[in-house]
Amino acid sequence: MSLRIYNTLSRELEEFSPLQPGRVRMYVCGMTVYDLCHLGHARSMIAFDLVQRWLKASGLAVTYVRNITDIDDKIIRRAVENGETIRSLTDRMIDALHEDADALGIERPTHEPRATDYIPQMLSMIGTLEKKGLAYRAENGDVNYAVRKFPGYGKLSGKSIDELHAGERVAVLDGKDDPLDPVLWKSAKPSEPEEVKWASEFGPGRPGWHIECSAMACELLGETLDIHGGGEDLQFPHHENEIAQSEGATGKPLANYWMHNGFIVTDNEKMSKSLGNFFLIRDVLKKYDAETIRFFVVRAHYRRPLNYSDVHLDDARASLKRLYTSLDLVAPQALAAIDWNDPYAARFKAAMDEDFATPEAVAVLFDLAGEVNRTQSPAQAGLLKALGGCLNILQDDPKRFLRAGTTLAESAIQAQIDARAAAKAAKNFAEADRIRNDLLAQGIVLKDSPTGTTWAAAQ
Ligand SMILES: [Zn+2]
């Protein structure tokens, strides 16, 4: 095992050594299910899907937990707005999340715990923290964590509590000893639906967000994880609070390796719901096939920001076509296993073993594709396909991928059909022909009939 992982905690590349030889326990913070997933969520899911695939390809057994936050202010607000129950909203959004993730070829994690199924474990951890003097009951009925009582607070961010304060925009005390103290248990408000009130020794209420992950990770994976992951925006305060809660309760390290994926940015701004500059996975899938989206994410390093634009997705599609062209030229031989001593396979492995350096791994695929084009070797084409499989790309039928290759959304095709009909009505037949040929060049065949024009992907 010569895998090295960049550990956010030490800010260094470290040799990966799981607690139990041959077995990896990985926890990744998942979605708050009040709305549909956007491309930023897709990036995090794809990043850690790649991690777990590579760990498995390296011969390790992986238990991968990605939680679902199904209780939160935003969820309550949205359900009330919609006039539906929390459960009906979160069930619908979890179904939609699965649809999107499955469509993108992301493997389901081993466990996807819903926070509301782990309330007793959260309450038990809060009880432990209170006994240890790390939690206190505030006047407003909430139970808060006392960050100043935990000496390691700020270690993931590499900042002291006072430095973290400086970065805070608003210091709302709201019954807290320190504005950074996270709420562990929120006391029930009369205005809130009965569905979000649980009985407890602290009075009726519901859990805070951070305690959910601490309790679920401990219950499903044990007190110390091998890998804890999430988007880089979760480092502070979410992961800092998870560390304070879990380590405060158990006295053991929460995770040995902390991994954070970079943002997807549009016009240099982080893609997010609050900024309104997001693209839903299902909308992008109308325009681009799943493999192109996946390749767009995979060919950038997971820790770097990734710029989203149609130009970049078009380019990803064109690059992927070049790889498929080699597999179309030389039918790949099915391999029983990858020979990691092959020079291309060895280079691919070296790249992936260095903190999952997918850009370098993809570069190896292009070199190998060039070699396949020159040598016409079915064995090398087979290796190209098998290495692509480690990134979950290049598994489609090359002919289908190359020919079905349209990047046009249905609405865009329809707009072109309408424009052609208008050109015909204006007797501008040259323009009508230009539109037909233009679509054909993009893999779309038009069929005219007395009732109108229909289209199909070229066979
Ligand atoms: Zn979390």
Side-chain angles (χ1 to χ4, degrees):
M1 189 90 222
S2 54
L3 172 65
R4 298 208 305 164
I5 293 181
Y6 180 84
N7 190 350
T8 312
L9 193 60
S10 65
R11 286 164 198 79
E12 274 175 15
L13 278 165
E14 292 178 11
E15 194 85 19
F16 179 65
S17 157
L19 273 169
Q20 196 180 324
R23 196 183 150 209
V24 181
R25 282 171 271 228
M26 177 163 94
Y27 185 95
V28 175
C29 295
M31 263 56 77
T32 300
V33 285
Y34 72 102
D35 210 339
L36 298 167
C37 291
H38 60 66
L39 226 48
H41 302 124
R43 186 181 196 194
S44 179
M45 287 194 282
I46 292 172
F48 290 101
D49 183 45
L50 274 175
V51 168
Q52 65 101 12
R53 280 174 194 268
W54 185 246
L55 293 170
K56 285 180 185 166
S58 307
L60 296 159
V62 180
T63 310
Y64 171 24
V65 176
R66 189 183 64 217
N67 72 291
I68 292 170
T69 293
D70 64 347
I71 179 72
D72 155 276
D73 288 344
K74 289 194 280 292
I75 295 175
I76 299 172
R77 211 176 304 132
R78 183 63 60 89
V80 170
E81 271 167 30
N82 291 355
E84 63 182 330
T85 61
I86 309 288
R87 186 73 194 196
S88 124
L89 171 66
T90 55
D91 278 352
R92 279 197 300 115
M93 290 306 144
I94 292 168
D95 286 347
L97 162 73
H98 284 151
E99 253 175 53
D100 291 343
D102 292 351
L104 287 176
I106 296 162
E107 259 180 46
R108 298 262 180 112
T110 323
H111 303 288
E112 286 182 282
R114 294 174 70 128
T116 52
D117 290 335
Y118 293 81
I119 305 280
Q121 288 85 348
M122 295 169 201
L123 284 167
S124 148
M125 192 174 267
I126 298 169
T128 305
L129 291 171
E130 192 188 31
K131 271 187 217 94
K132 293 193 165 189
L134 291 165
Y136 60 94
R137 301 183 195 213
E139 271 177 28
N140 63 1
D142 291 351
V143 182
N144 298 328
Y145 187 95
V147 295
R148 298 227 176 239
K149 300 268 172 67
F150 182 72
Y153 199 84
K155 66 181 173 183
L156 187 64
S157 319
K159 289 180 178 166
S160 69
I161 290 180
D162 293 324
E163 285 167 331
L164 289 169
H165 274 163
E168 280 285 275
R169 258 170 274 168
V170 233
V172 184
L173 273 172
D174 200 17
K176 295 175 177 179
D177 291 351
D178 187 293
L180 293 183
D181 289 353
V183 182
L184 299 168
W185 188 252
K186 294 186 191 207
S187 62
K189 313 278 177 299
S191 59
E192 288 172 349
E194 287 307 308
E195 207 188 343
V196 299
K197 296 173 186 172
W198 281 267
S200 85
E201 60 175 295
F202 312 105
R206 60 186 162 98
W209 170 37
H210 315 292
I211 195 73
E212 296 177 5
C213 287
S214 285
M216 289 187 281
C218 183
E219 176 72 13
L220 292 163
L221 296 169
E223 291 178 336
T224 300
L225 317 167
D226 291 301
I227 298 174
H228 193 314
E232 66 180 5
D233 52 336
L234 296 181
Q235 278 179 47
F236 175 78
H238 184 55
H239 289 162
E240 208 69 75
N241 288 340
E242 278 189 42
I243 290 174
Q245 295 161 166
S246 298
E247 302 191 0
T250 68
K252 300 197 179 111
L254 169 57
N256 286 336
Y257 303 85
W258 283 86
M259 293 180 69
H260 292 97
N261 67 275
F263 295 141
I264 289 207
V265 292
T266 45
D267 301 325
N268 296 318
E269 285 236 62
K270 176 200 163 194
M271 187 179 286
S272 76
K273 276 267 153 60
S274 49
L275 291 172
N277 61 345
F278 62 90
F279 294 88
L280 295 177
I281 294 174
R282 50 192 56 201
D283 289 342
V284 183
L285 275 168
K286 284 182 195 149
K287 213 166 168 192
Y288 295 95
D289 60 280
E291 192 170 345
T292 293
I293 299 171
R294 198 175 164 89
F295 187 62
F296 161 71
V297 173
V298 162
R299 66 181 190 163
H301 192 268
Y302 75 90
R303 283 195 279 121
R304 302 274 95 81
L306 177 56
N307 219 327
Y308 173 83
S309 74
D310 280 1
V311 175
H312 292 118
L313 275 153
D314 288 340
D315 184 64
R317 169 95 196 156
S319 297
L320 201 47
K321 272 187 165 180
R322 278 169 53 208
L323 295 175
Y324 267 116
T325 302
S326 300
L327 296 178
D328 188 37
L329 180 73
V330 185
Q333 184 184 310
L335 303 184
I338 295 169
D339 171 12
W340 293 109
N341 293 317
D342 173 280
Y344 287 99
R347 274 179 58 207
F348 182 93
K349 181 170 161 33
M352 291 300 286
D353 276 346
E354 190 71 352
D355 196 31
F356 312 93
T358 50
E360 286 75 16
V362 166
V364 174
L365 298 185
F366 279 101
D367 290 349
L368 179 54
E371 178 86 359
V372 169
N373 297 346
R374 276 191 302 278
T375 62
Q376 314 261 312
S377 153
Q380 281 187 314
L383 180 62
L384 175 61
K385 184 172 176 175
L387 291 176
C390 295
L391 307 173
N392 196 20
I393 57 167
L394 302 180
Q395 303 307 295
D396 201 353
D397 171 43
K399 292 211 179 337
R400 202 209 65 78
F401 186 87
L402 293 169
R403 287 187 188 158
T406 176
T407 57
L408 289 181
E410 283 186 29
S411 59
I413 297 169
Q414 194 53 51
Q416 290 295 298
I417 290 174
D418 294 345
R420 179 167 165 266
K424 272 184 169 177
K427 304 217 178 312
N428 186 351
F429 297 109
E431 173 64 4
D433 284 347
R434 187 197 63 76
I435 293 172
R436 170 190 280 277
N437 291 334
D438 210 37
L439 285 171
L440 189 60
Q442 296 178 76
I444 299 297
V445 184
L446 298 184
K447 220 177 255 171
D448 292 317
S449 77
T451 54
T453 303
T454 55
W455 64 270
Q459 289 305 304

